Amino acid sequence: MGLFDRVSRVVRSWLNALVAAAEDPEKILEQTMIEMQDNLVTLRQAVAQAIASQKRLEQQFNQNQQQAAEWERRAKIALQHGDEQLALEALSRKKTALDAAMALKGQLEQSVTQVEALKKQMQQLESKIAEARTRKEMLVARARAAKASEQLQQTFSSLNTNAPMAAFERMEERVQEIEARSQAVAELNSDTLEAKFAALETSSVDEDLARLKAELANPQLSPSTTPAYDPELEALRRELEKN
């Protein structure tokens, strides 16, 4: 299993565990991002090492190719000087260099394939990290909003809303009581005023009655000694006699 596959498996298992986990999502997301960044660093180091190994193989391959060409040149020089034995030795060295170059070519091809695969995995991991970072920001925002809502709900649930309403009801009753006392005082003041006016009216009637009695007792005080017939007075007398 490649490094990228292991990272993908870790990410999938983390996402599955996150759904049921009771830990803080923000902390888990942050820790996961750190782990993914660490994996990316490790993968980059592996890619760098593979590239360095590929470069060494290329250098060795080129060196063997150059050596083979050089020994062939020397073999030609030996033949030009009529030394076949020296030419054969040079050609033998050429063959050794070519064999080494062919072996290095196979390793180089494997190294190139490995480097390309590691580069592809690194690019995929970088893409996954970029996607995870975006999802992390969204999830963190949602987690913070959910926490704020939860705290708000807990605050509301901890408040005793009945107590303030009861206080308002008590104060409303108190205000009604004060209004009733004020109205009662106003009615008492009104009754006293009416009583004063009634007393004044009663006093005036009593004075008229006393004056009439005085006139009857002393005819000289009356405007006329012989009272004239007054139909209205007679009607009043008859009404009083009935009652």
Side-chain angles (χ1 to χ4, degrees), residues 17-207:
L18 181 62
V19 176
E23 293 87 358
D24 187 354
E26 186 171 352
K27 292 181 180 179
I28 295 177
L29 289 169
E30 186 63 31
Q31 182 61 35
T32 302
M33 290 302 303
I34 293 174
E35 293 176 358
M36 293 179 72
Q37 288 290 348
D38 292 341
N39 290 330
L40 179 60
V41 171
T42 302
L43 184 55
R44 283 175 176 171
Q45 292 174 350
V47 171
Q49 292 175 358
I51 292 175
S53 177
Q54 177 184 333
K55 294 297 183 182
R56 287 193 298 269
L57 290 173
E58 288 178 352
Q59 291 175 357
Q60 293 174 1
F61 174 76
N62 292 331
Q63 287 175 359
N64 281 278
Q65 289 279 66
Q66 292 172 1
Q67 288 175 3
E70 178 64 19
W71 285 116
E72 183 176 356
R73 186 183 69 81
R74 290 178 179 181
K76 289 179 180 178
I77 294 174
L79 287 175
Q80 288 174 357
H81 288 80
D83 191 342
E84 292 185 3
Q85 186 65 32
L86 185 58
L88 287 173
E89 183 65 25
L91 291 174
S92 177
R93 297 287 181 91
K94 172 190 174 183
K95 183 177 182 303
T96 300
L98 287 175
D99 290 342
M102 292 300 296
L104 288 171
K105 182 179 180 181
Q107 295 179 16
L108 183 58
E109 290 175 351
Q110 291 179 358
S111 179
V112 170
T113 303
Q114 183 181 12
V115 168
E116 291 299 323
L118 288 173
K119 284 183 177 180
K120 184 177 180 181
Q121 289 182 0
M122 185 176 66
Q123 292 173 354
Q124 290 175 344
L125 181 56
E126 288 174 344
S127 178
K128 287 290 183 181
I129 290 176
E131 180 184 355
R133 185 177 291 108
T134 301
R135 294 185 63 185
K136 169 184 171 290
E137 293 174 356
M138 291 189 298
L139 288 173
V140 167
R142 289 172 57 186
R144 290 177 179 176
K147 283 183 180 179
S149 178
E150 182 181 8
Q151 291 175 355
L152 185 61
Q153 295 300 326
Q154 290 176 351
T155 301
F156 278 132
S157 62
S158 63
L159 291 176
N160 185 5
T161 56
N162 293 328
M165 295 307 298
F168 275 99
E169 293 176 357
R170 289 198 306 272
M171 291 304 100
E172 184 177 5
E173 293 176 357
R174 179 64 175 166
V175 170
Q176 291 176 351
E177 181 181 349
I178 295 173
E179 290 175 345
R181 285 207 307 269
S182 175
Q183 185 177 0
V185 171
E187 290 179 356
L188 288 175
N189 291 335
S190 177
D191 292 343
T192 302
L193 186 63
E194 293 293 334
K196 289 181 179 180
F197 277 105
L200 290 176
E201 292 176 357
T202 303
S203 176
S204 176
V205 171
D206 292 342
E207 290 176 358

Side-chain angles (χ1 to χ4, degrees), residues 214-234:
E215 290 177 356
L216 292 175
N218 189 359
Q220 294 180 352
L221 296 177
S222 177
S224 176
T225 55
T226 303
Y229 178 76
D230 190 346
E232 203 174 305
L233 180 60
E234 290 298 326

Side-chain angles (χ1 to χ4, degrees), residues 3-22:
L3 178 59
F4 180 72
D5 293 334
R6 290 197 298 271
V7 172
S8 298
R9 186 182 64 179
V10 170
V11 173
R12 287 195 300 270
S13 62
W14 164 74
L15 290 174
N16 292 332
L18 181 62
V19 176

